[in-house]
Amino acid sequence: MVIKVFLATSSGSTAIKKKQQDVVGFLEALKIEYMQLDIASNEENRLWMRENVPGEKKPTNGIPLPPQIFNGEDYCGDYDTFFDAKEGNQVFEFLGLPPPPGSKKKASRQDENKDEEEDEAKEEDDQQVSEEEEDAPASEEEEDEEADAEDEED
């Protein structure tokens, strides 16, 4: 799916312009495919954005301001939630995208606990193998070598 960023190209607010530039610049830096949809010059875009921002995410006046970010039809968030995700290295999760190959995904507590359990189980297996090696009878070659060494001593 394509990321949709709803913007107002003719906004009089410098704060809104800076927020829009921050979102677009960050997406470009990460080479994330996106499309800009202008709500100032296109009534359909403005109405679609306003209708599709969930009620609990709308400001108290009921009119969401740009930038608003969607992954296809799914609402991702506004600038503040984007900024929080960016600061927490969770932009791909915020956008509903898989992280790029080779990136470090922040492990959840559940993943960390699972890794710890796997490490403990591996250590127990390794310990058991080394104990078995100590108890294992020597090979015929080793026994022959030991016998030869004893014969030489005599």
Side-chain angles (χ1 to χ4, degrees):
M1 298 209 120
V2 175
I3 302 302
K4 297 178 183 177
V5 182
F6 287 85
L7 310 167
T9 54
S10 61
S11 174
S13 167
T14 55
I16 287 177
K17 286 179 185 176
K18 285 181 181 181
K19 290 176 180 180
Q20 293 175 161
Q21 288 172 343
D22 187 26
V23 170
V24 168
F26 196 78
L27 294 175
E28 286 175 357
L30 291 179
K31 296 182 168 77
I32 295 173
E33 187 179 337
Y34 72 96
M35 56 191 288
Q36 295 182 35
L37 299 162
D38 187 13
I39 65 167
S41 64
N42 187 318
E43 184 70 17
E44 286 179 27
N45 288 342
R46 186 171 59 82
L47 291 173
W48 191 93
M49 180 195 81
R50 286 185 178 179
E51 289 172 6
N52 288 283
V53 171
E56 67 274 5
K57 303 291 184 177
K58 290 182 181 176
T60 52
N61 69 1
I63 301 171
L65 298 174
Q68 297 291 328
I69 306 160
F70 290 79
N71 181 339
E73 307 291 311
D74 300 326
Y75 182 69
C76 298
D78 60 5
Y79 177 78
D80 292 334
T81 52
F82 169 80
F83 182 82
D84 291 343
K86 185 172 88 167
E87 290 296 305
N89 278 336
Q90 298 175 325
V91 172
F92 288 95
E93 186 178 351
F94 165 80
L95 295 171
L97 298 173
S103 68
K104 291 183 179 178
K105 181 184 167 198
K106 200 172 188 179
S108 66
R109 286 188 193 265
Q110 197 172 24
D111 290 341
E112 290 172 1
N113 291 341
K114 184 178 175 186
D115 290 344
E116 288 173 13
E117 289 172 6
E118 288 173 357
D119 290 344
E120 288 172 8
K122 186 177 182 327
E123 286 175 16
E124 288 175 9
D125 288 347
D126 291 346
Q127 187 176 3
Q128 190 174 13
V129 167
S130 62
E131 288 173 1
E132 287 172 0
E133 287 172 356
E134 289 173 10
D135 296 342
S139 68
E140 285 183 33
E141 271 184 37
E142 289 173 337
E143 287 177 1
D144 290 344
E145 286 174 11
E146 285 178 21
D148 289 345
E150 287 175 10
D151 288 343
E152 287 177 11
E153 288 175 8
D154 292 336

